[in-house]
Amino acid sequence: MIHVGLWLPLLAGIALLLLPSLGRTFAIVAAAVTFVISLVLFAGYNPTGTMLGQHIAYVTQIPLLQEVGVYYALGLDGAGLLLWMAVSLTVLLGVWIADVPVRFLALALIMQTGLMGIFAANDLVLFYVFFEATLIPSLLMLWFYGGLDRLRAIYTFAIFTLVGSLPMLASVFAVRYLGGSPSFLYSDLLAHPLGGAAAGWAFLGFLIAFAVKTSLFPLHAWQPPFNRQNHPSGLADAMGTLYKVGIFAFFKWAIPLVPSGFQQWQGVVLFLAAFGAIYAAWLAFSSKDWKTLLAYGSISHMSIGLLGLFSGTSQGTVGALYVLGASMIYTGAMFLFVGLVYKRTGGLEVAPVRGLAKHAPALYVLGMFLLFAMIGLPGLSGFPGEFLALLGAYKVSPWLTFIAFLSVIAAAAYALTAYQKVFQEVPQTQTVPDLNSREWIFASVTVVALLLMGLYPKLFTVYLEPLGKALAALFGGSA
Amino acid sequence: MMTLLFLAAFATALSLLALVISREANRLVTIAGLVLAAIFCVVGWGTTTEAFGGLYRFDTLARGLTLVALLGGLWTLLLGPAKKFEYPLLVLYAVTGIHIMSSSPNLVVLLIALELFSLPLYVLATWQRDNKGFEAGLKYFLLGALAAAIFVYGIALYFGATGSFMAGAKGSGPLYVAGLLLILAAFGFKTAMVPFQWWSPDVYQGSPTVVTLFMVTAVKAAAFAAMLRIFTPEGVGAWGYGLAALIALTTIFGNLGALQQTEAKRLFAYSSIAHAGYVALGLFGPTGQASIPFYLLTYALATGIIFAVLAMLSNQDVPLERLRGLFYRKPLAGTAMGLSIISLLGLPPLAGFWGKYLVFQEAAQAGYWALVVLALVTSAVSAYYYLKTFFLLFAKPSEQAAADDREAEAALRQFGSSEAAGSVLTAPMGLSGALMAPAARTTATSMGMLWAALALLGLLSILPGLGLRAFSAGLLPVVPLSISAPQNGALLAAGSYSLQGTGQAGESLELYDNGVKLGNVTVGADGKWSFALPALAATGQHLYEARRTGQVAAAKTMVQVKASDVPAFSAPAEGSQVSASGFTLQGTGKAGEGLEVFEDGISLGRLTVPDSGQWSLNVPPPTPGNRIYEVRRQGQASGAKLNLVVGQPVAGALCNQPFSLSNLQAGGTVSRPFRFGGVGSGQGYSITVKRGDRIIGRKQLPLSAACGWSYLSDPGAGSITYEVRQSGKPETDPALSTINLNVQ
């Protein structure tokens, strides 16, 4: 089942690329089937155990390069499972709503396989393969459907990503060959954590690669141009949001494999994350267009997640993973929502688009839900994760947590300002249509997801808590 | 062997026949020869054929790289010009040379092979008779001659140092190092490594594109095959720094050079320089013989596709702008080239990634971390020019490029086989290719080759293990090395335990404890190995490692050994022979606990285990023969036993050591019976036994042949005193030693 779920989007994407006449319905069906498979996986998941590596279900391993210990090994732990679901839901929403050429949808489906592979890979090299390969469809989407100034955005994105992730390969070698593991399998690597003098360097390799994919300050600079230049429908941006898997990668690979390296860099990352959170919130506040605002907003939220994760506490870890999953859905949906606004007004600027509330009240309500989720209003999906992340971080570093907490307040400021400008000022004379039936479905599914994650977080945190405890146990923590 | 015979026979025969048979027939026969050679290359894959007293060695390495060269040769023949019969012939000679180069471990044969494949290439480089062609040919020839000269010089020094022309001969000293470095420089020329790369951009640009295709695919393969035989990891001390410097320069300047190119052939020439640096990383590792051919195959496929596409566009320069929108004009060519560029960049999941992965991990295993990081960082730099070219392919096409296309097609018709239209009538009509009109045939062949290469590249991307398995047939341990017990991070009580693990059946492993070699172990037929550790490891942290010979990378397991609570012996080893003049027993126990050591049931004294958990006891000169030692917790009836053999002392030894007492320090408590003693000089010693002031016994103790003295006592319980004097001294003299004991 896990193999079908993983490869179905890729095969569907390739089919669609070669035969665009299959149409968008085909893409929607593929994405829907993938989402259903993720639900089946979710229902069949039954984790037990107290240590990392014991919570992994649906394990398979087939030798890929057996001579050098590389396997096609899949398996989902609780975090991977939830993020896999978040990805398949967001892709389904995107494919459902975005008004884009069919080949664009095909690229999104191809990218989906890469993303889910990142969460399901149980072999470090295979993880690396998915982590890197996902770059290709992402670049192609930007190239084929991006804005006028896309070439610079592409180079910035590609160079940041590659300069980060190619040297990471050295860390991949180091954890195995210096750690003495017989293979790259997750279980083997966990049994041979890397210590000693090389640990700091090895962790740095992971840190740079994953920090790019978390948009940690100062490695965040690729994201605003990436979002600004991408197709206004927001589909590519939503996929880009899903690609920001840094927190998961830190959690599953970097931290448990190089625990002593984590301790060496913990302080630095905590500081950068706290600073990044408030800095990005400030930039979001002064953003002139929606996509820049969302880019900085997402950077700010990811920084809060990272702060929680790098506290090394159980709560912080759970919070970080929750932030990641929640923001995949609300930021992704937000980008798609912006696409809807664009369709009606033809602009992405925050200021000139005014008073949509009068003409499109349903759109207005959807926007309200999304922005409130983004702010972290209790009851919506943004809240539980940020709360736990900050709580975990508070135990380790109260002052940095306080600084980061200011960004939550700032989020309210920038989100509400933008909201007010677009929806509540004196309306333009030009009328715009409200949601049509397709958009209604999109809106209701999104709002249900936001409410479910906000009101009943326990449904998901039960899968994360044992992981958080196990990770904290590496550092002697129990809370 | 058949491969060599076919290549040589076809080359020789065609040299004569070409004058009489038609050009087309000549071409087809050459192709047939190459195909036959390829078939015999594949038949018997994994086996090794030797001939001519070891001068010719056709093993997996030779097979793999010959196949790469044959592929390049076929490709260039199918796309190449047919106006003159020399073209196929020259390619055939070059392929023969390359085959010999990759199949000989003998340096002199390598030199001949080098010349054999270089000379045809010099001619091929000048195929286009214009200034650029002449410049390319002359540069290639002059620098090639220089490289050959350096090679000869290196061979001479190598022979002087080792007395052998065979690659991999053991040697040392400055002469050996100098010889190897000169040989390295010669290969640096051939593989275009910085600073020996100057010829390559000009030659690649000036030669016809199909010839460049052949150069980048086949020639690199040949040079690296020879390098793999000469620069073995065992001799890394001699050539390691030299090669590391070449690699560093090559990866940096190759990539920087490519950044500013505006002409495609030149750009990929620089890219090929950079790739030579990456491939060379594989030489450091233990399994480079499999990784390097894999890399070269993926590289040859990707570069081959790129140059084949460029050859479709023009045989002259191809400015990068010509590539704009290629995907829309020629979808297959554009897609193939795009995928190849991504493969060269090394993005997964394309085969180029696996190639890079394999050679980089070789260097990582050998511990060259700085080079690995440098190679990775420069790979990231290369992303700029690769992506630039990649996106050009998918850019909106310009009118200019389309017009250039039409013009170039006309020019190609002049150059390519289509201009041989007259010869079609005389060509044999048996082969399907020849049935078509030549122009259509060229297009169909290049499309077919593109599809084939693309399919192979795709196969290697999805199933890299297949390729590696093929190249490592008979070479690589398939099973990864591991230590399965004790588990990493385990906390073990001191005691005897064994290291266990898995490996390739039959291979020999080296085992280390905290970097100190413990010994070798051979993996059993079931793929498992086991090694009994010296009876008792010292307490503390132990990093056990198992390595394949010559590798730095190791399977590791780190354990904490804590002192066992149960008293036990750690030295000497069970069953070993010990000296009759006394020795030291060592063991472990719970810190602070009282133990008593027995020899054949006779107490040697009590002791308290120190905080380290390790105790020792000096045994007084024992009687030769088998002795059983036992350590018991105080008050217990039995404990750990140790069987030792006390050796016969050497008779007639001169006893001149000062008097000493080994065990039973004064004031201690001991169980009866007990024994004490030591070594000394003179005739022996006399013992006076007292209870209080009352003398209860006397005994003369002559020295044994091992100069030892020993007293076995079994008195009643209570306090007792022993006075030891030199034999013959009166009891009024002060005693040498007075031992007060409390007997229980």
Side-chain angles (χ1 to χ4, degrees):
Chain A
M1 194 58 113
I2 190 172
H3 301 284
V4 180
L6 179 60
W7 297 109
L8 178 78
L10 177 75
L11 297 177
I14 291 175
L16 208 54
L17 214 50
L18 298 175
L19 301 166
S21 57
L22 287 170
R24 64 179 301 122
T25 319
F26 181 77
I28 292 171
V29 169
V33 171
T34 312
F35 179 62
V36 169
I37 289 174
S38 80
L39 290 180
V40 172
L41 292 176
F42 180 72
Y45 181 75
N46 191 16
T48 50
T50 55
M51 283 166 64
L52 280 179
Q54 292 179 344
H55 307 277
I56 295 181
Y58 311 114
V59 176
T60 41
Q61 77 191 49
I62 299 163
L64 196 60
L65 277 173
Q66 199 186 3
E67 290 84 346
V68 290
V70 179
Y71 290 83
Y72 168 73
L74 298 183
L76 286 167
D77 58 11
L81 180 77
L82 295 181
L83 294 171
W84 169 302
M85 274 174 70
V87 164
S88 45
L89 177 62
T90 313
V91 173
L92 177 60
L93 288 175
V95 171
W96 174 260
I97 195 71
D99 240 345
V100 294
V102 172
R103 286 208 165 97
F104 195 162
L105 298 178
L107 286 175
L109 288 175
I110 289 173
M111 186 162 170
Q112 186 183 5
T113 288
L115 292 167
M116 296 194 307
I118 293 174
F119 301 127
N122 232 6
D123 176 289
L124 185 51
V125 175
L126 187 71
F127 165 80
Y128 184 85
V129 167
F130 282 121
F131 188 78
E132 284 274 86
T134 311
L135 177 66
I136 299 172
S138 186
L139 285 178
L140 288 177
M141 274 193 258
L142 182 51
W143 171 254
F144 282 115
Y145 306 103
L148 289 175
D149 199 16
R150 60 184 183 273
L151 202 57
R152 188 168 333 153
I154 284 179
Y155 283 135
T156 320
F157 179 44
I159 297 295
F160 265 88
T161 304
L162 291 175
V163 170
S165 56
L166 280 173
M168 175 183 136
L169 199 55
S171 298
V172 169
F173 293 142
V175 291
R176 178 173 165 209
Y177 293 120
L178 297 179
S181 165
S183 75
F184 286 102
L185 287 172
Y186 190 47
S187 50
D188 281 338
L189 291 173
L190 278 180
H192 296 82
L194 176 63
W201 291 106
F203 195 83
L204 179 64
F206 287 122
L207 177 61
I208 294 174
F210 297 157
V212 170
K213 288 285 158 49
T214 324
S215 295
L216 175 66
F217 177 86
L219 297 172
H220 66 288
W222 60 270
Q223 205 192 341
F226 173 82
N227 287 141
R228 264 200 303 273
Q229 291 301 325
N230 254 319
H231 193 265
S233 71
L235 178 57
D237 302 282
M239 298 306 293
T241 305
L242 300 180
Y243 196 9
K244 290 176 65 178
V245 294
I247 288 179
F248 173 80
F250 274 122
F251 157 76
K252 182 165 180 181
W253 298 102
I255 297 177
L257 301 192
V258 202
S260 62
F262 167 75
Q263 283 166 326
Q264 287 177 39
W265 288 98
Q266 187 177 17
V268 177
V269 176
L270 283 176
F271 176 79
L272 289 176
F275 178 76
I278 191 80
Y279 173 73
W282 171 255
L283 288 176
F285 190 68
S286 51
S287 301
K288 295 278 183 287
D289 67 280
W290 275 106
K291 284 197 169 177
T292 315
L293 184 143
L294 290 179
Y296 283 119
S298 138
I299 293 171
S300 179
H301 290 119
M302 284 295 167
S303 298
I304 291 179
L306 211 53
L307 195 72
L309 185 66
F310 271 70
S311 68
T313 60
S314 166
Q315 280 167 340
T317 307
V318 173
L321 292 168
Y322 206 89
V323 165
L324 180 60
S327 91
M328 278 181 172
I329 295 173
Y330 69 69
T331 312
M334 194 75 207
F335 274 117
L336 296 168
F337 164 78
V338 169
L340 297 184
V341 174
Y342 177 84
K343 209 159 76 176
R344 287 165 171 76
T345 64
L348 285 172
E349 301 78 12
V350 173
V353 186
R354 284 171 197 276
L356 281 181
K358 179 169 165 21
H359 301 299
L363 188 70
Y364 159 78
V365 172
L366 173 63
M368 190 183 75
F369 268 106
L370 284 167
L371 278 171
F372 285 175
M374 201 168 153
I375 295 171
L377 195 74
L380 290 174
S381 64
F383 175 73
E386 288 190 15
F387 178 74
L388 282 172
L390 288 170
L391 196 63
Y394 181 78
K395 293 182 179 163
V396 176
S397 177
W399 280 108
L400 288 176
T401 310
F402 175 72
I403 293 174
F405 180 71
L406 292 178
S407 78
V408 179
I409 301 171
Y414 66 72
L416 291 178
T417 313
Y419 175 71
Q420 183 203 14
K421 280 183 187 160
V422 175
F423 291 110
Q424 296 199 322
E425 293 205 349
V426 183
Q428 291 173 319
T429 44
Q430 155 204 10
T431 57
V432 294
D434 204 355
L435 297 182
N436 61 28
S437 55
R438 196 176 81 177
E439 291 161 352
W440 262 107
I441 293 176
F442 163 74
S444 11
V445 172
T446 308
V447 170
V448 167
L450 298 183
L451 285 171
L452 184 65
M453 290 187 79
L455 293 174
Y456 194 47
K458 202 171 180 318
L459 180 62
F460 307 108
T461 50
V462 287
Y463 295 92
L464 300 177
E465 268 156 11
L467 300 177
K469 286 208 179 82
L471 192 74
L474 289 180
F475 308 104
S478 54
Chain B
M1 192 66 201
M2 291 305 277
T3 309
L4 179 66
L5 288 179
F6 271 111
L7 285 174
F10 271 74
T12 320
L14 281 175
S15 305
L16 303 170
L17 288 177
L19 295 169
V20 288
I21 63 175
S22 78
R23 287 172 298 203
E24 196 53 32
N26 178 34
R27 204 173 91 102
L28 292 173
V29 173
T30 312
I31 290 172
L34 291 181
V35 170
L36 275 174
I39 289 172
F40 281 102
C41 201
V42 175
V43 171
W45 191 276
T47 59
T48 300
T49 321
E50 283 205 7
F52 308 118
L55 294 188
Y56 177 81
R57 190 178 156 78
F58 198 46
D59 51 12
T60 307
L61 175 68
R63 285 170 193 274
L65 292 176
T66 303
L67 209 55
V68 173
L70 287 169
L71 184 86
L74 271 175
W75 208 341
T76 195
L77 265 188
L78 287 169
L79 301 187
K83 199 193 296 187
K84 295 202 170 68
F85 71 85
E86 291 96 331
Y87 184 84
L89 208 52
L90 286 170
V91 172
L92 185 57
Y93 271 114
V95 170
T96 312
I98 288 170
H99 167 62
I100 297 174
M101 183 102 178
S102 46
S103 321
S104 178
N106 185 289
L107 292 176
V108 178
V109 178
L110 286 180
L111 177 69
I112 297 169
L114 186 82
E115 292 299 330
L116 182 56
F117 81 73
S118 293
L119 284 170
L121 284 174
Y122 302 147
V123 181
L124 287 173
T126 58
W127 197 259
Q128 271 167 166
R129 298 182 170 250
D130 54 11
N131 280 338
K132 274 206 166 148
F134 289 136
E135 185 195 338
L138 195 63
K139 260 194 186 157
Y140 200 15
F141 174 69
L142 286 178
L143 287 170
L146 181 63
I150 294 176
F151 191 37
V152 175
Y153 215 143
I155 293 176
L157 296 186
Y158 183 90
F159 181 72
T162 64
S164 165
F165 282 123
M166 297 305 270
K170 295 257 180 298
S172 60
L175 204 58
Y176 177 70
V177 174
L180 277 181
L181 288 182
L182 283 175
I183 295 175
L184 184 63
F187 282 111
F189 272 110
K190 282 293 158 197
T191 54
M193 290 178 81
V194 181
F196 308 112
Q197 90 295 7
W198 296 108
W199 58 272
S200 96
D202 292 330
V203 172
Y204 285 7
Q205 192 185 8
S207 308
T209 312
V210 278
V211 174
T212 314
L213 187 161
F214 183 59
M215 288 177 186
V216 291
T217 52
V219 175
K220 275 224 161 85
F224 273 106
M227 285 175 89
L228 272 168
R229 296 190 196 275
I230 298 169
F231 304 106
T232 53
E234 287 80 43
V236 71
W239 52 265
Y241 286 107
L243 185 66
L246 283 190
I247 291 174
L249 290 171
T250 307
T251 50
I252 293 172
F253 289 103
N255 283 308
L256 290 185
L259 284 181
Q260 49 204 352
Q261 299 308 320
T262 52
E263 198 273 329
K265 280 158 80 179
R266 235 180 141 73
L267 185 138
F268 287 103
Y270 274 102
S271 134
S272 134
I273 293 173
H275 278 274
Y278 300 143
V279 187
L281 279 175
L283 289 170
F284 287 114
T287 51
Q289 298 225 329
S291 308
I292 286 184
F294 185 93
Y295 190 104
L296 287 171
L297 179 61
T298 63
Y299 166 80
L301 285 171
T303 323
I305 289 174
I306 288 170
F307 276 95
V309 171
L310 293 180
M312 283 172 159
L313 294 177
S314 163
N315 249 319
Q316 314 278 339
D317 288 1
V318 183
L320 282 180
E321 270 307 304
R322 281 293 311 282
L323 297 174
R324 178 177 291 276
L326 183 69
F327 172 71
Y328 299 102
R329 287 180 278 142
K330 298 178 192 293
L332 173 64
T335 311
M337 188 161 174
L339 286 174
S340 304
I341 289 175
I342 298 291
S343 178
L344 284 182
L345 166 57
L347 272 190
L350 284 151
F353 165 74
W354 295 112
K356 270 193 182 170
Y357 170 82
L358 285 171
V359 293
F360 288 2
Q361 59 102 27
E362 297 288 346
Q365 283 195 51
Y368 287 80
W369 293 101
L371 278 184
V372 174
V373 172
L374 179 70
L376 288 165
V377 170
T378 51
S379 296
V381 171
S382 74
Y384 179 78
Y385 61 84
Y386 283 130
L387 287 179
K388 187 174 75 176
T389 321
F390 178 79
F391 286 121
L392 261 184
L393 298 174
F394 296 96
K396 290 276 168 286
S398 67
E399 242 337 282
Q400 184 58 39
D404 287 349
D405 269 5
R406 287 189 290 276
E407 201 174 301
E409 265 160 32
L412 274 178
R413 229 165 279 133
Q414 281 295 310
F415 173 84
S417 47
S418 51
E419 100 309 325
S423 73
V424 156
L425 299 174
T426 56
M429 303 301 277
L431 290 168
S432 62
L435 288 169
M436 287 183 230
R441 188 194 61 196
T442 312
T443 319
T445 337
S446 25
M447 287 298 161
M449 286 305 284
L450 269 190
W451 271 115
L454 208 52
L456 195 50
L457 196 67
L459 184 70
L460 287 175
S461 307
I462 299 167
L463 295 172
L466 213 63
L468 186 68
R469 185 65 57 85
F471 285 124
S472 60
L475 264 180
L476 260 192
V478 175
V479 183
L481 201 52
S482 78
I483 299 182
S484 52
Q487 281 217 323
N488 194 40
L491 182 63
L492 299 173
S496 50
Y497 50 91
S498 65
L499 279 177
Q500 291 166 14
T502 59
Q504 178 81 1
E507 71 174 334
S508 175
L509 305 176
E510 295 172 350
L511 299 175
Y512 293 83
D513 175 5
N514 289 337
V516 180
K517 189 167 172 180
L518 291 174
N520 286 322
V521 64
T522 305
V523 182
D526 55 353
K528 293 189 173 137
W529 54 267
S530 171
F531 183 83
L533 289 167
L536 205 81
T539 54
Q541 205 165 50
H542 284 264
L543 175 64
Y544 292 108
E545 292 172 277
R547 294 183 196 169
R548 295 194 159 114
T549 312
Q551 290 195 18
V552 175
K556 298 181 190 183
T557 186
M558 171 87 87
V559 296
Q560 287 284 344
V561 177
K562 60 167 183 164
S564 166
D565 285 352
V566 182
F569 291 103
S570 60
E574 169 80 16
S576 57
Q577 183 162 338
V578 291
S579 161
S581 57
F583 62 95
T584 303
L585 279 173
Q586 291 174 351
T588 58
K590 186 177 177 181
E593 195 176 27
L595 305 179
E596 188 159 15
V597 181
F598 294 86
E599 176 191 65
D600 294 335
I602 297 161
S603 173
L604 295 177
R606 296 186 176 187
L607 56 90
T608 306
V609 182
D611 288 342
S612 67
Q614 302 182 51
W615 54 264
S616 70
L617 181 110
N618 294 320
V619 177
T623 316
N626 293 328
R627 298 278 161 266
I628 299 170
Y629 293 88
E630 190 174 0
V631 57
R632 300 178 191 162
R633 283 189 171 126
Q634 272 171 29
Q636 290 196 343
S638 67
K641 289 194 170 67
L642 176 68
N643 291 293
L644 295 176
V645 182
V646 179
Q648 289 293 339
V650 183
L654 187 63
C655 296
N656 55 4
Q657 299 106 309
F659 168 81
S660 77
L661 173 68
S662 303
N663 60 333
L664 292 189
Q665 300 310 316
T669 305
V670 69
S671 318
R672 50 180 275 257
F674 55 90
R675 184 171 81 82
F676 59 90
V679 293
S681 53
Q683 296 301 309
Y685 298 93
S686 65
I687 301 271
T688 310
V689 188
K690 288 180 171 176
R691 274 201 196 273
D693 288 339
R694 185 165 57 91
I695 292 173
I696 57 169
R698 293 191 178 84
K699 179 113 187 207
Q700 286 297 323
L701 299 173
L703 283 185
S704 71
C707 303
W709 61 274
S710 174
Y711 184 71
L712 174 63
S713 182
D714 191 7
S719 180
I720 194 161
T721 304
Y722 299 87
E723 291 177 2
V724 187
R725 292 185 180 80
Q726 198 79 43
S727 280
K729 297 272 182 183
E731 283 178 2
T732 50
D733 275 18
L736 278 171
S737 176
T738 305
I739 308 159
N740 290 305
L741 291 174
N742 188 14
V743 181
Q744 282 189 338

